[in-house]
Amino acid sequence: DVKVTQSSRYLVKRTGEKVFLECVQDMDHENMFWYRQDPGLGLRLIYFSYDVKMKEKGDIPEGYSVSREKKERFSLILESASTNQTSMYLCASSPDVTSYEQYFGPGTRLTVT
Amino acid sequence: GQNIDQPTEMTATEGAIVQINCTYQTSGFNGLFWYQQHAGEAPTFLSYNVLDGLEEKGRFSSFLSRSKGYSYLLLKELQMKDSASYLCAVSDNFNKFYFGSGTKLNVKP
């Protein structure tokens, strides 16, 4: 079974802090994605990566950056956390650009106070 | 831009059939997907359509009409465990995925 893990299920940070959310997949997938999920807005793509050290902006990249130094790990960075970044963050991976199925991690519920 | 619409919430009875609709307007199209998400859990993949027509997988079927920008997910013989949110998503020509806000399905005894 594909396994996508995220570093924390729940996280509480203060405004202005730098926040790192880690995602690891164990199936040698090429593509990895970061989404945030908010009530009434669904899942919105923040960034995705189709290869090591490669990244593409999604719909809402502002206030976020990403890092992919190794194939299995994709990190989301909030440079200076703000209260409007309080959300559920979901990481996903898929085998390659031709694949249609994404495998999601359990999510990190981030609260910024 | 991308626009994906689906009803916010639906209620159905155990054993019945329910159809969840999804309409989309996207600048590119490379496939339509349905995911299931139970409360507090990660979404899991249900189905994929890239050509017009019906794809059947057990109790679940998904239909696509590309000319109408329309899809539906059909759930038969509803069970209590089918109570969940159902997410419609479209991928564009650049492998980006766009999700609707989800339809919360309540299955009642």
Side-chain angles (χ1 to χ4, degrees):
Chain A
D1 279 351
V2 175
K3 194 167 185 183
V4 180
T5 57
Q6 296 183 228
S7 49
S8 307
R9 288 303 304 270
Y10 300 94
L11 206 55
V12 180
K13 295 292 182 180
R14 293 190 175 178
T15 302
E17 280 193 85
K18 190 168 187 175
V19 182
F20 292 87
L21 302 183
E22 303 286 340
C23 175
V24 177
Q25 49 93 3
D26 66 356
M27 285 301 292
D28 202 36
H29 284 178
E30 301 285 340
N31 296 349
M32 296 188 75
F33 307 80
W34 273 108
Y35 295 91
R36 62 178 284 177
Q37 186 173 30
D38 300 288
L41 296 177
L43 273 77
R44 292 179 291 167
L45 182 64
I46 304 171
Y47 268 99
F48 70 103
S49 168
Y50 51 88
D51 201 354
V52 176
K53 296 191 186 294
M54 305 300 286
K55 61 184 179 185
E56 292 286 340
K57 291 181 180 179
D59 287 335
I60 51 165
E62 296 79 19
Y64 303 94
S65 62
V66 290
S67 172
R68 193 164 180 205
E69 296 296 319
K70 293 185 178 181
K71 192 174 187 179
E72 67 271 19
R73 188 180 297 270
F74 192 35
S75 302
L76 180 69
I77 304 154
L78 286 68
E79 296 291 342
S80 177
S82 64
T83 55
N84 62 13
Q85 292 178 309
T86 291
S87 186
M88 171 67 84
Y89 289 88
L90 288 161
C91 174
S93 71
S94 67
D96 53 46
V97 292
T98 64
S99 174
Y100 50 83
E101 182 172 354
Q102 293 192 2
Y103 299 84
F104 283 85
T108 295
R109 184 163 293 282
L110 172 68
T111 302
V112 182
T113 61
Chain B
Q2 321 295 342
N3 192 36
I4 301 174
D5 287 319
Q6 49 182 133
T8 303
E9 192 164 357
M10 300 179 70
T11 300
T13 305
E14 192 176 16
I17 299 173
V18 70
Q19 178 175 310
I20 302 174
N21 295 326
C22 172
T23 58
Y24 65 90
Q25 289 176 305
T26 56
S27 55
F29 181 84
N30 202 31
L32 187 136
F33 310 80
W34 285 96
Y35 282 79
Q36 180 190 59
Q37 186 177 26
H38 285 100
E41 297 183 12
T44 54
F45 172 80
L46 285 178
S47 69
Y48 166 68
N49 295 70
V50 66
L51 300 176
D52 289 354
L54 190 67
E55 294 283 340
E56 296 187 77
K57 193 187 283 188
R59 293 189 300 114
F60 292 9
S61 303
S62 57
F63 171 83
L64 174 67
S65 168
R66 288 173 297 171
S67 61
K68 294 182 179 178
Y70 169 69
S71 172
Y72 67 74
L73 180 70
L74 194 71
L75 292 76
K76 302 175 186 176
E77 301 169 14
L78 278 174
Q79 301 175 10
M80 297 301 293
K81 67 178 182 179
D82 296 330
S83 291
S85 288
Y86 292 85
L87 313 179
C88 174
V90 172
S91 72
D92 67 9
N93 298 331
F94 303 98
N95 204 34
K96 280 187 179 181
F97 285 73
Y98 299 92
F99 283 80
S101 56
T103 298
K104 184 179 180 184
L105 176 64
N106 303 302
V107 180
K108 294 190 171 181

